[in-house]
Amino acid sequence: MECFGRDPPFYEVCSDCVNEFKARQHPYSEMATAVSAMVHIFHYQEKNVTKTLDDLNKMFQRTEKLVYASMPSYRMSKVPIKYKSATIGREQVYWDHLKQLDTLGVRYLDFFQLTSTCIADNCTYDGGHRSRYVNRWKAQLLLNTLCEFSY
């Protein structure tokens, strides 16, 4: 199931959707939630790092058994000119969030560092979105995490 929270506030819309879905499941079934939404929240919050992190952290507090997947790193030399200004500042959200994650009690997948290590020209076609083989790499990491998931 996918939840889309384009209407404010993100943390409320998304966590309500996830919690409602979980409530409909068998009471003994184990379910983890994977979330990766920083890029869209950052855009909605008009590139305000503090508000973006606040939204994410509220989501974490409202949703149990959460796996958070970070944003990817960006190769600015490949980002199209019309998107460069929207991309600037995203790394600050990543670095500031890293400082907070220990206290939040959230499982964390660091796709930022993972994608920053892929330096081949065909890792990304536009500086942010990844090629098929990099996305398979990320998916395998997520599957491994979910298979080992327990609280």
Side-chain angles (χ1 to χ4, degrees):
M1 175 185 167
E2 289 183 87
C3 293
F4 297 93
R6 293 195 183 263
D7 298 321
F10 160 79
Y11 71 89
E12 199 171 277
V13 172
C14 192
S15 59
D16 286 352
C17 176
V18 169
N19 291 333
E20 179 183 315
F21 180 75
K22 286 181 175 183
R24 292 191 312 250
Q25 302 308 305
H26 189 278
Y28 300 109
S29 66
E30 286 294 319
M31 183 181 300
T33 304
V35 174
S36 182
M38 188 289 303
V39 171
H40 303 284
I41 299 168
F42 187 62
H43 176 74
Y44 163 74
Q45 292 292 2
E46 299 175 350
K47 299 177 68 173
N48 183 306
V49 173
T50 303
K51 287 181 180 180
T52 300
L53 294 178
D54 196 42
D55 245 7
L56 282 169
N57 294 342
K58 286 177 182 175
M59 165 68 183
F60 297 162
Q61 292 167 0
R62 293 172 55 111
T63 310
E64 293 181 7
K65 296 185 179 180
L66 185 74
V67 176
Y68 175 67
S70 77
M71 65 176 208
S73 66
Y74 288 85
R75 190 167 317 155
M76 292 302 287
S77 62
K78 289 189 123 184
V79 173
I81 291 173
K82 68 180 185 176
Y83 297 114
K84 281 194 191 253
S85 64
T87 307
I88 294 170
R90 290 179 181 173
E91 284 190 18
Q92 191 61 49
V93 177
Y94 167 79
W95 292 112
D96 286 1
H97 212 202
L98 270 184
K99 297 172 193 172
Q100 300 175 4
L101 285 171
D102 282 349
T103 61
L104 295 172
V106 175
R107 297 248 181 179
Y108 181 71
L109 293 174
D110 194 341
F111 288 153
F112 183 91
Q113 293 299 326
L114 180 117
T115 54
S116 71
T117 63
C118 190
I119 58 172
D121 192 51
N122 64 346
C123 289
T124 177
Y125 59 90
D126 67 357
H129 295 95
R130 302 299 164 187
S131 62
R132 184 179 306 153
Y133 75 91
V134 176
N135 285 329
R136 284 185 188 139
W137 188 19
K138 290 165 49 179
Q140 186 64 57
L141 182 60
L142 176 60
L143 286 172
N144 291 350
T145 300
L146 291 175
C147 288
E148 296 173 1
F149 195 92
S150 67
Y151 270 91

